[in-house]
Amino acid sequence: MRFHALFCLGLIACGGEKVLVSSDVRVDQADPGSDPDSESSRVCTSPNGDIFAVWSDARSGIPAVWLNESTDGGLTWLEQPILVNQGSGAATHPEIACTSDKVHVVWEDTRDGLLENKNIYLASGARGGAGNLRFGDEDVQLDGDEDGDHHSLRPQIAAFRDSVWVVWSDQRNGAYDIYAATSADAGDTFYEPRRLDSDEPGSAFSASPRIASSGPDLVFVAWEDSRNGLSDIYGAMSDNGGLSFDDDYRLDLGEAAGASDSFSPQVAADDDGTAYVVWHDTRDAPGRDVYINWTSNGGASWAAEAVRVDSDNPGFADSILPSVAVACGVGHLAWQDDRSGGYDLFYRRVIGGGFADEEVRINGGGAGAANSVDAKVVASGGCSTASDASVAIAWRDLRSDSEELGYNDLYYTGSTDNGLSFSALDLRLDALQAGTSYKVDLSIDLQGEDLRALWVDGRSGSADVYFHGLPIGEEAVLVPVAASELEEEEGAD
Ligand SMILES: [Ca+2]
Ligand SMILES: [Ca+2]
Ligand SMILES: [Ca+2]
């Protein structure tokens, strides 16, 4: 019963005294006997340090969006999560953004019409007099499709003070187009959504939008667009807080439009108007390579040719699913790369319009020995100097999956000097014995040097949501369990 005893160190399951140790905490708290699979876990930290976790599960019979919160750095959470969505539809794929005084959650919802098409809804929570988080009386419908005639999918959200921006992929015109909705009153009301892709409406598939803001005015959006044939990466920006967007522009430059597929864009923007868009591209086939485009002047100009980020022979191996973050003028890129067999994770810094140094492999173990996948990069800066920022890169790692059951562990590496140097390789981020459960939907956030991770974990038999927080440089450890505690737990069974 060793596993059971370890789980009880998660503070919640066994109750009792708070234990001031770094351990995994289960936060979805489904009722015993009604323990549905949870999915789409997302975490964010507000500027004052409150931590919010959202996910969807069907404990009430239909998929719904749930939120839990911690006001003590992740040690304790509400005993019962808060139901975010209203209405009778299935609510899935939540995304979250936090500001000083509000938490905004957006999701797909089938409540409108009889076709079970998905529409985009948002709810904003704020603290009431007693400090309890309260959501508004009504969810806000963002895509304007009151009869549910068309799908609106995969919303993404960003917020800064009273500004909230949501983008999604929308079927209203035929083939999917990209729409954006903006609120200037902290999510209470939204302006009419605007279409961002400028070709004939509904004429070509546009999907996977990503959004980032640089302060209150500059907003950057990037997406996949097949208007030219194979998929290209397009971007659109606003310099007036999302009231309007400039004409869109192609970013995967350097070869003919539509000549090869460009997928999985990610975008990051800094306070000074620097923005990076990264993606993976088939132009060097057979393998896929990671490319980047950037602006250092708030989107007034972008590089005339996209620049390849991975530096082995072009197209030799698959370099895919890049992630990007930026702090104090330094961009941080990570991606998975199978040049040595299994997927390794690589990292590279970019400053302004150029690479600061060579790429480096950041996962330990032998190169290509196992699959290290799904890199997530976050950065957080005070920026009193260029190195006054923290960076964390987290991933899922299958090195201990000896029986090939898909049981992965969570690892990370971190820097407290804005990427000049990193802590020891291969710090464990979850505290479960290696290779004993699957972990998916990893979401991370960084506040100062405190890393917060949320994921969906199969350790308890169903898919549950777990949290772990630690300062950069520390490693999650399997807390030793005293023999007396083990006996106690076994006795309790
Ligand atoms: Ca389109
Ligand atoms: Ca392309
Ligand atoms: Ca490659």
Side-chain angles (χ1 to χ4, degrees):
M1 288 313 297
R2 180 170 171 77
F3 285 179
H4 187 100
L6 284 170
F7 299 156
C8 284
L9 292 171
L11 307 182
I12 296 295
C14 298
E17 276 187 342
K18 283 183 195 174
V19 187
L20 292 173
V21 297
S22 170
S23 189
D24 301 347
V25 184
R26 187 176 164 192
V27 303
D28 58 350
Q29 341 283 58
D31 293 331
S34 159
D35 195 1
D37 287 337
S38 301
E39 59 183 33
S40 303
S41 43
R42 299 289 187 274
V43 67
C44 77
T45 305
S46 74
N48 64 11
D50 293 348
I51 304 171
F52 299 97
V54 293
W55 67 92
S56 76
D57 72 48
R59 71 185 67 192
S60 55
I62 188 164
V65 174
W66 298 88
L67 177 144
N68 205 336
E69 61 164 337
S70 173
T71 57
D72 59 8
L75 274 178
T76 59
W77 296 73
L78 300 177
E79 288 181 13
Q80 288 297 325
I82 298 168
L83 178 63
V84 175
N85 61 296
Q86 304 173 34
S88 57
T92 55
H93 298 94
E95 297 287 344
I96 188 169
C98 303
T99 63
S100 298
D101 46 12
K102 282 218 169 174
V103 52
H104 306 284
V105 184
V106 65
W107 65 90
E108 297 176 355
D109 197 308
T110 64
R111 74 178 73 179
D112 298 313
L114 302 173
L115 301 173
E116 297 193 349
N117 282 330
K118 295 178 172 184
N119 281 341
I120 308 298
Y121 276 81
L122 173 137
S124 300
R127 299 212 178 277
N132 295 329
L133 191 67
R134 291 274 180 271
F135 283 90
D137 292 336
E138 288 188 17
D139 302 337
V140 183
Q141 215 260 27
L142 293 184
D143 53 295
D145 177 17
E146 291 178 1
D147 296 328
D149 291 332
H150 309 285
H151 274 307
S152 302
L153 300 178
R154 296 297 191 273
Q156 295 283 308
I157 186 168
F160 186 89
R161 296 193 185 131
D162 283 344
S163 297
V164 184
W165 305 281
V166 180
V167 292
W168 66 89
S169 191
D170 196 305
Q171 189 196 22
R172 71 180 73 180
N173 306 313
Y176 282 87
D177 292 331
I178 304 298
Y179 279 79
T182 295
S183 170
D185 58 6
D188 289 341
T189 60
F190 279 78
Y191 296 107
E192 190 81 8
R194 292 174 181 278
R195 180 168 171 248
L196 301 189
D197 49 325
S198 63
D199 58 334
E200 196 66 26
S203 61
F205 186 76
S206 311
S208 301
R210 292 293 184 272
I211 186 168
S213 79
S214 172
D217 297 323
L218 291 177
V219 184
F220 298 91
V221 182
W223 66 89
E224 301 169 353
D225 201 300
S226 61
R227 73 182 71 171
N228 306 312
L230 297 179
S231 179
D232 290 333
I233 304 298
Y234 274 76
M237 66 160 295
S238 170
D239 60 7
N240 57 15
L243 296 181
S244 63
F245 282 81
D246 292 347
D247 287 346
D248 58 348
Y249 38 81
R250 186 175 160 235
L251 289 170
D252 60 319
L253 300 168
E255 69 157 11
S260 51
D261 275 324
S262 311
F263 288 137
S264 296
Q266 299 287 331
V267 55
D270 205 358
D271 296 342
D272 65 358
T274 303
Y276 300 101
V277 177
V278 297
W279 66 92
H280 65 243
D281 202 298
T282 61
R283 69 179 69 184
D284 306 316
R288 291 165 282 186
D289 292 336
V290 173
Y291 278 79
I292 188 169
N293 203 327
W294 47 55
T295 177
S296 54
N297 51 20
S301 62
W302 293 76
E305 290 194 12
V307 176
R308 184 168 170 246
V309 177
D310 54 312
S311 54
D312 58 341
N313 288 329
F316 167 70
D318 274 332
S319 312
I320 59 172
L321 300 176
S323 178
V324 62
V326 61
C328 317
V330 180
H332 304 278
L333 310 171
W335 67 95
Q336 66 188 68
D337 197 306
D338 69 354
R339 67 183 69 173
S340 301
Y343 278 109
D344 289 317
L345 288 187
F346 282 80
Y347 165 81
R348 199 164 192 187
R349 286 194 312 148
V350 55
I351 299 177
F355 295 115
D357 27 43
E358 297 296 313
E359 63 189 344
V360 290
R361 180 165 69 93
I362 56 168
N363 60 294
N371 284 317
S372 307
V373 297
D374 287 353
K376 313 278 187 197
V377 187
V378 285
S380 168
C383 305
S384 60
T385 66
S387 63
D388 177 24
S390 298
V391 185
I393 309 166
W395 68 91
R396 305 193 296 120
D397 199 300
L398 286 137
R399 74 185 66 175
S400 299
D401 184 29
S402 53
E403 295 179 42
E404 298 189 351
L405 297 170
Y407 289 171
N408 59 299
D409 302 303
L410 303 179
Y411 283 80
Y412 87 100
T413 184
S415 167
T416 55
D417 56 13
N418 209 10
L420 289 171
S421 63
F422 277 82
S423 54
L425 297 176
D426 287 332
L427 298 170
R428 278 290 299 278
L429 185 50
D430 70 294
L432 186 65
Q433 180 172 319
T436 53
S437 79
Y438 66 81
K439 299 164 192 72
V440 296
D441 286 349
L442 173 63
S443 171
I444 59 173
D445 199 3
L446 187 63
Q447 185 178 47
E449 297 184 4
D450 290 329
L451 175 62
R452 280 76 188 253
L454 192 76
W455 68 92
V456 167
D457 194 312
R459 68 178 67 179
S460 304
S462 61
D464 302 317
V465 181
Y466 279 79
F467 171 87
H468 196 118
L470 43 67
I472 282 179
E474 287 194 12
E475 183 164 34
V477 287
L478 298 183
V479 180
V481 180
S484 58
E485 283 181 62
L486 277 174
E487 285 165 19
E488 214 170 278
E489 289 304 326
E490 284 172 2
D493 287 345

